Amino acid sequence: MSRLEAKKPPLFVSEPLSEDTVGQSLSLLSGILKSCYGPAGRLKQLHNGVGGYVCTTSQSSALLGRLSVSHPALRVLTASVQNHLSRFSDCGLFTAILCCNLIEKFKSLNVASCTVVKISQHLLSLCMDYLKSEACACRVSVDFSSVETLLCLVRSVLTSKPACMLNKPEADHLTVLILKAFMYTVPCHVETNAVLGKCIIVPVKGRRVLDSTVLPGLLIETPEIQLAKPLTVKRTCSNVIKMALFCVSMAGDGFGPEEGTVTVHHGISLEVAELNQLLNLGKQLVNDEVGLVVCQKVIHPSLKQYLKENHVMAVDRAGLSLMEPLSRMTGSKPIASIHLCPNCYGTLKDVRVERFASKHFTHLIPNDTVVCSLVLCNRNETAWDELKRACETAEHVLQLTIKEPLALLGGGCTETHLASYIRHKSCNLSTSSFEDLGCSRTQYQLVADGFCRALESVACSLNHHDGEILTDMVYGHCWFVPPRFPSVSNWSDLVSKCGCGVNGNTENLSWRPLQGQFGSSIRQGCPKEPTVKAPDFLTLDCFAAKCSGLQVALETASLILDLSYIIEDQN
């Protein structure tokens, strides 16, 4: 068939970042992300042009998945951040805002992009070496024998999501629940290749957040169960409940029309034959002392009745998502046919009936808890959706922290501290370092200053109330002045503690405004480590997620700055 329209040649765009539209789009994206950043961030409502579901959020995972970005360079940026989030769940806004800041700062420099990339990579290596060294003054060791730092980590994640609409008692309650749920998933007996368990979030909408709870084992919603009737489940002689887990339909509909033609002899009913097979299966389950049958799909009513008469509890419609945790928790192997093998069964410690709001659940309690259920409540669907994402992020942060038991100071303090450190290091580089990089001292100082300003701009993004933002000249931490106060030199009357909560206004500190009219003065000394820490009130960030975010932001910015051509297919 001949073409109705001639094939168009591809569109070549040289020096794409020089276009005004790119700068405007980048500025708009940066403004949207910055306005969402931190505990006081502004919420965004996202929906498509023809209506449908409306998402109210300030979280990067929800924002970037729903924002329509047209320019190829910005699509690279959003794709990089989404890839970071798929691996770490946290620090998505930090990564995206820092990347936008770096592009804006570096683009304004009168330095060749290849030189900017080489210098920025060197600055990144200085940051990473410092963050991973014992001398780093903006990181905190996490001791798993004490819960204070872990609680700070979880609380910091929850309180940074304003759309969850949590007050302090609710945030504290959920913080304890998430940490408790995580502890349930840590194996009691550590092996060579220990694997963490799983926390299943059970939705209960329209209830108070304080009604949320965590239970060991699994909850399976069973609307037909009667709470008033006593639950009698057959047990073995060793006082455990033997369980069979089926991942195949037990409804007697084993043959569908898509599976081909079935030949049946005259006078034989296929439905009756299948039911007889199911009842024979039921007899074998009873003879094998099975007390609980769980099916991913549907169980035939007659088989259900037979099992009930023999004190075997039957739960169907469990769903695919529960198969893996059920198998792991009980040791049972999912059965994909009506033919049983001796080692396919698992065991449970107990089975109970629970009720939350108007929902009834069968509660499966294991012998060893590696799977738990977090019954998560919130007032409405919008707040619940946001809270679920926040809880999943907090759980992932704890999982990352157990691999690398470190955390970074939050509240903008890591960013300003790193900026102070880089300014100190960049003033003390040897001439041979500049020769190795193929740049002059002036070029290096220009790029280093742009890098530090980009970091400080991320810290400034936490302030949404037009108050002054300061950094102290001793520790390099970030301090927020309440709004409606004039710019004065005596800042000590207006600040009480730094952004992360480590430093209080008890020392004779001196401050300077961040990116204010006085500019960013270069420090002469390396920032010190605080001598006193208050772990109960710290704002902390995930070490692994923030280190990755720093790398992703700088490498993505370098990639975009180094773009010479964009080739787009017009067909």
Side-chain angles (χ1 to χ4, degrees):
M1 184 177 178
S2 61
R3 286 184 175 272
L4 298 177
E5 186 179 349
K7 189 175 181 181
K8 297 177 183 177
L11 176 66
F12 287 80
V13 179
S14 63
E15 301 299 331
L17 292 187
S18 62
E19 296 179 354
D20 291 338
T21 53
V22 179
Q24 291 167 2
S25 298
L26 181 66
S27 179
L28 178 61
L29 177 63
S30 177
I32 292 171
L33 298 171
K34 285 179 179 179
S35 67
C36 295
Y37 196 43
R42 305 296 190 252
L43 305 185
K44 301 292 176 287
Q45 282 195 328
L46 301 124
H47 61 95
N48 58 38
V50 293
Y53 177 73
V54 177
C55 174
T56 303
T57 186
S58 66
Q59 294 190 46
S60 55
S61 56
L63 273 170
L64 296 177
R66 291 171 172 84
L67 277 179
S68 177
V69 179
S70 57
H71 196 276
L74 299 189
R75 287 206 296 268
V76 170
L77 193 158
T78 56
S80 294
V81 178
Q82 286 177 301
N83 182 56
H84 161 82
L85 285 168
S86 69
R87 293 181 294 131
F88 295 94
S89 298
D90 198 22
C91 296
L93 285 176
F94 163 79
T95 306
I97 294 169
L98 179 58
C99 187
C100 292
N101 290 343
L102 289 168
I103 295 170
E104 288 174 346
K105 304 296 182 190
F106 290 163
K107 198 174 70 158
S108 65
L109 300 177
N110 190 22
V111 181
S113 61
C114 58
T115 305
V116 171
V117 169
K118 281 192 290 185
I119 297 172
S120 62
Q121 288 295 328
H122 183 258
L123 294 170
L124 176 62
S125 67
L126 287 178
C127 287
M128 298 310 298
D129 290 344
Y130 178 63
L131 290 172
K132 293 182 178 180
S133 71
E134 292 295 327
C136 180
C138 61
R139 78 178 194 183
V140 177
S141 295
V142 178
D143 182 6
F144 274 82
S145 64
S146 176
V147 299
E148 282 83 3
T149 313
L150 295 171
L151 289 171
C152 288
L153 259 176
V154 176
R155 189 183 294 110
S156 299
V157 172
L158 293 180
T159 54
S160 67
K161 320 295 183 195
C164 297
M165 298 190 293
L166 301 177
N167 56 35
K168 189 179 184 303
E170 291 169 342
D172 291 342
H173 177 67
L174 276 178
T175 296
V176 173
L177 287 186
I178 292 168
L179 183 55
K180 185 178 178 182
F182 173 72
M183 290 303 183
Y184 273 136
T185 65
V186 178
C188 297
H189 310 290
V190 179
E191 301 171 0
T192 307
N193 297 317
V195 179
L196 292 174
K198 197 174 180 92
C199 174
I200 308 296
I201 295 179
V202 179
V204 178
K205 301 169 187 177
R207 304 287 290 188
R208 300 183 313 152
V209 174
L210 294 174
D211 292 334
S212 301
T213 188
V214 63
L215 297 170
L218 268 178
L219 291 174
I220 303 177
E221 189 173 357
T222 44
E224 72 277 4
I225 203 162
Q226 298 296 319
L227 192 64
K229 292 186 178 180
L231 196 63
T232 55
V233 183
K234 183 192 290 185
R235 293 177 178 268
T236 64
C237 54
S238 55
N239 199 33
V240 297
I241 298 171
K242 189 181 281 190
M243 174 186 151
L245 179 63
F246 288 87
C247 59
V248 68
S249 174
M250 303 174 73
D253 55 353
F255 298 101
E258 70 280 357
E259 297 180 33
T261 305
V262 178
T263 304
V264 181
H265 293 289
H266 179 71
I268 295 177
S269 168
L270 184 60
E271 290 77 10
V272 173
E274 287 185 336
L275 179 56
N276 288 335
Q277 279 189 322
L278 289 173
L279 293 175
N280 288 333
L281 172 65
K283 290 175 184 176
Q284 187 176 347
L285 291 169
V286 172
N287 292 335
D288 289 345
E289 295 185 304
V290 171
L292 174 68
V293 174
V294 178
C295 181
Q296 175 188 331
K297 300 180 181 179
V298 180
I299 300 177
H300 196 286
S302 298
L303 177 57
K304 259 190 176 181
Q305 183 62 32
Y306 174 80
L307 293 173
K308 183 180 178 182
E309 290 170 357
N310 288 275
H311 307 292
V312 178
M313 187 175 182
V315 177
D316 60 354
R317 296 182 174 89
L320 179 62
S321 61
L322 293 184
M323 289 296 104
E324 188 272 330
L326 271 171
S327 176
R328 183 172 179 188
M329 182 180 81
T330 62
S332 56
K333 296 179 181 177
I335 303 164
S337 71
I338 59 172
H339 302 291
L340 303 175
C341 58
N343 62 346
C344 64
Y345 300 127
T347 58
L348 284 169
K349 181 180 178 181
D350 201 4
V351 178
R352 296 175 188 167
V353 176
E354 304 282 356
R355 179 179 176 178
F356 298 99
S358 59
K359 296 182 177 182
H360 293 82
F361 298 90
T362 300
H363 182 196
L364 310 183
I365 304 171
N367 296 302
D368 294 318
T369 304
V370 290
V371 176
C372 67
S373 297
L374 173 61
V375 181
L376 189 61
C377 307
N378 212 338
R379 303 168 188 83
N380 55 61
E381 186 173 356
T382 298
W384 188 90
D385 290 342
E386 189 80 349
L387 186 58
K388 177 176 181 284
R389 283 190 288 267
C391 290
E392 289 171 341
T393 299
E395 184 193 9
H396 195 182
V397 163
L398 290 171
Q399 291 170 351
L400 293 167
T401 305
I402 204 171
K403 294 178 184 176
E404 197 166 14
L406 296 168
L408 289 174
L409 301 177
C413 290
T414 289
E415 289 87 337
T416 54
H417 180 87
L418 269 181
S420 296
Y421 174 79
I422 290 299
R423 284 200 172 93
H424 165 72
K425 291 292 287 185
S426 63
C427 288
N428 295 281
L429 278 182
S430 62
T431 307
S432 61
S433 299
F434 302 127
E435 291 173 355
D436 293 340
L437 290 169
C439 68
S440 66
R441 180 181 291 273
T442 303
Q443 287 175 323
Y444 190 92
Q445 291 290 357
L446 283 171
V447 176
D449 186 60
F451 178 80
C452 294
R453 285 174 177 268
L455 279 171
E456 290 171 341
S457 182
V458 176
C460 291
S461 301
L462 288 166
N463 183 29
H464 302 279
H465 302 292
D466 299 324
E468 194 73 62
I469 306 120
L470 314 173
T471 182
D472 67 83
M473 304 298 285
V474 178
Y475 304 112
H477 281 215
C478 185
W479 303 72
F480 296 94
V481 178
R484 294 182 296 278
F485 281 98
S487 294
V488 293
S489 56
N490 190 18
W491 299 113
S492 58
D493 296 336
L494 301 177
V495 293
S496 58
K497 64 179 180 178
C498 66
C500 68
V502 165
N503 295 312
N505 185 15
T506 56
E507 302 179 52
N508 187 21
L509 299 176
S510 57
W511 292 273
R512 66 172 176 87
L514 270 183
Q515 300 183 328
Q517 58 180 337
F518 303 106
S520 298
S521 60
I522 296 179
R523 301 179 48 86
Q524 297 303 312
C526 187
K528 296 180 181 179
E529 182 175 6
T531 54
V532 180
K533 292 184 180 179
D536 291 342
F537 304 102
L538 285 185
T539 300
L540 298 176
D541 289 326
C542 176
F543 181 82
K546 198 143 200 177
C547 286
S548 169
L550 182 62
Q551 288 179 291
V552 168
L554 197 139
E555 288 169 358
T556 305
S558 298
L559 172 64
I560 292 172
L561 287 166
D562 212 24
L563 287 175
S564 297
Y565 287 93
I566 291 177
I567 305 170
E568 284 191 86
D569 188 2
Q570 298 291 289
N571 298 291

